Amino acid sequence: MKAKPKATRKRTSQKRAKAFTGVHALLVFPSGEDQKSTLDLMRRFSAAVRYAYNRLLEGQTREDLKRQDGPLCPFFGLNTRYADDAVMKAQALLDSARERGEDPRKVVFGGRRLFETLRRRHLSGKPLKELKREWKEKRQGLLYSRGDKTKGGNLNLRLLVKEGALWLRINLGDGSYAHALIQTKHPNLNALLQRAYASLPYNVELSLKDGKVYATFTWEEEPAPLVATKENGVLALDVNSDPYHLALALVSPDGNLRRHLTLSLEEVDRAPNKGAKELVLWKIAHQVVSLALEHGVAIATERLRYLRKSRRGDGSGRAFRRKQHRFAHASLLRKVHSLAGKRGVQVVEVNPQDTSTIGMLKYAPLLSLSKDVAAAYVIGRRALGFKEKLPKGYGKLLRDERFRDHVQGFYASRAQELRAKRSAESNPYLRRRLSQELERAKRHLSLLSSLQGSPGSQEGSTEGRNFLGAHPWRVLRVGLFLPLLGREVPRDLSPLKPILFGGSWEGWRGGLGPPPGGGPECANVRST
């Protein structure tokens, strides 16, 4: 029997994302002078991007920076088109940092990981030499030129066919040119040749890696007409690292769950190399898009975001780091988005905030779903415009003073025990892990204090005032999972059903203690 949770719907218009196709190739320079001149141009262009980034932070405009008499052209020996492209690259980096909520002033050109490794000064000899080479290539190995239909494809980096071979003519910015032979067996090569013959625009980006220059050609394709939209419902995706699989939920326009399934991603983990891994991910993307076309529905995913990777020595544990580093979350979603655009399937991206928490607390016990399918269901409902209301049983639970006192006492006791363990631990890595768990316990205590009447609403927004606190879903997760179910991310969520419907936690009230397996010393289960 289908559940029909009450909800409100909000219609929103969505602008279709641009679809790009590309070709990756190696550049071979017959002339050593041409290669030297190209590397010098890449160095100057990279420096211009960094300079433009800092000037944009100061408030200067793109129009002022790209002028012939502006700072970029004379300082770095670039023509106005290269200067404009350098400013565009800088603006893209600035916008990206702001969208991720990062301080734009702390962006590190060349990569923060390499910068931090070099700053530690713990390497010497060949490893240090290789690291410095990689750092130099990242900072100085960039050249980009946008395509322009009015200029016959690309004015600065132009494709030429001579004697049956494909060449790239590189404008060095001073009226002279360098030439490089293009070597590639990319499946989109014929499409690129057709654009070159037809004088259609294509973008070119040169990059430096291991002393070799590579070119990436991209161009925008007209998206296929939409044949599957969210008017018929959505197929929602949730990628999970443990177990490593993709959870799918088919949600009807009225917000009900029609079907759900999972696709294993273990084959991705077993792939012998990067190329084989990419093939498996594309295969899964085709399965997802084909399923959406079969039902005539849109695809709903979480908005792509950066996932922090743990490092050795940070106390996270080897097994957890391995799960993080094999996690192909962004790669798979990008492939699904790209393929959907080409086949006329609408893609709806939603805010990922608290989707897993709401799924575990509400729909996993209500509909007897796994936590991953429940999270996908929440993503699908959010894509359709539904807002999740807090069930009455949970509202009643949050009003229960004995429950609040018990949970706060649990975390206070846990923090005390973690402090004692950390003081007695001599292993610095285990001490770091205990410190992380202690900080987490403190954050949970701080979150529980929001029950005393800080701003918030039952939907988790910040409109109005509500006695349930600023983030009731997060408070419930903190109060129910570890203190009562014995795990930070429990697998069996069925014990929450009586609380969900009636707000009663009688099964645990006897001694005001956790169930078997719970308590401050219970094992923590991490989830990505």
Side-chain angles (χ1 to χ4, degrees), residues 19-34:
F20 284 87
T21 300
V23 171
H24 189 65
L26 171 68
L27 296 187
V28 178
F29 293 86
S31 167
E33 285 298 320
D34 281 357

Side-chain angles (χ1 to χ4, degrees), residues 353 454-466 469-471:
Q353 183 176 354
S454 57
S457 74
Q458 289 188 345
E459 282 122 13
S461 66
T462 57
E463 300 172 0
R465 298 187 64 83
N466 190 286
H471 300 287

Side-chain angles (χ1 to χ4, degrees), residues 12 14 17-18 79-80 101 114 132 154 165 225 236 248 286 294 296 340 346 360 458 464 485 504:
T12 58
Q14 184 192 38
K18 295 180 179 179
N79 59 34
T80 55
L114 290 175
K132 286 184 175 180
N154 195 305
L248 301 169
H286 275 277
E294 177 186 340
Q346 183 184 11
M360 286 190 288
Q458 289 188 345
L485 299 183
S504 171

